[in-house]
Amino acid sequence: ETHIYQAGLADMVASAEAITADSEKYVEQLLQLFRRFSLLVNQGFRDDPRFLTARDKAYKRVVNDTSIFRLDLPNKSGVYSKTQPESKCPELLANYCDMLLRKTPLSKKLTSDEVE
């Protein structure tokens, strides 16, 4: 569980700049991590239920971790300080689902200028 959590969190932090701004990249990163660790549990431990549970717990901790969402914002005196992190996971997942529901084959082919 600890290995999956630490490795998963390290991967998320490494790509934090891209994934915190783009819900599609965020979801792709989460899915890639889940597939990677599922393959590890499958090949290394033959899907032993104890290891599947540990994978799920670690994955839940990665998804709910707020450390990749820390922002530097100026305070009243103009000095930058760390804000209290807040999980953007729900917002990113909602945006991704909204995007999926709105996508049509036609919208994938058009640029934003053509849509306007």
Side-chain angles (χ1 to χ4, degrees):
E1 182 178 337
T2 303
H3 168 72
I4 291 174
Y5 172 69
Q6 290 174 343
L9 191 59
D11 286 355
M12 296 297 280
V13 169
S15 56
E17 198 169 307
I19 64 174
T20 56
D22 185 352
S23 59
E24 190 171 1
K25 289 180 182 176
Y26 179 73
V27 172
E28 287 172 8
Q29 179 77 13
L30 288 176
L31 291 173
Q32 186 269 336
L33 285 174
F34 189 78
R35 287 186 204 108
R36 183 173 117 202
F37 295 123
S38 293
L39 185 64
L40 172 74
V41 171
N42 177 279
Q43 291 179 345
F45 305 104
R46 297 186 184 154
D47 283 338
D48 184 295
R50 293 170 293 186
F51 287 99
L52 289 171
T53 300
R55 177 211 57 199
D56 293 344
K57 286 180 182 178
Y59 192 75
K60 179 180 175 182
R61 286 176 58 198
V62 169
V63 169
N64 291 323
D65 194 285
T66 60
S67 62
I68 64 169
F69 300 113
R70 291 188 193 276
L71 301 172
D72 283 329
L73 296 176
N75 60 18
K76 291 180 182 177
S77 62
V79 178
Y80 283 84
S81 63
K82 292 281 184 191
T83 62
Q84 187 66 15
E86 187 175 298
S87 180
K88 287 180 62 178
C89 179
E91 178 185 344
L92 291 168
L93 291 175
N95 288 343
Y96 181 77
C97 292
D98 186 55
M99 185 178 64
L100 281 179
L101 292 172
R102 291 175 187 248
K103 274 195 174 175
T104 64
L106 179 63
S107 69
K108 291 180 185 178
K109 295 178 185 176
L110 299 177
T111 64
S112 60
D113 292 334
E114 291 172 331
V115 171
E116 287 180 15

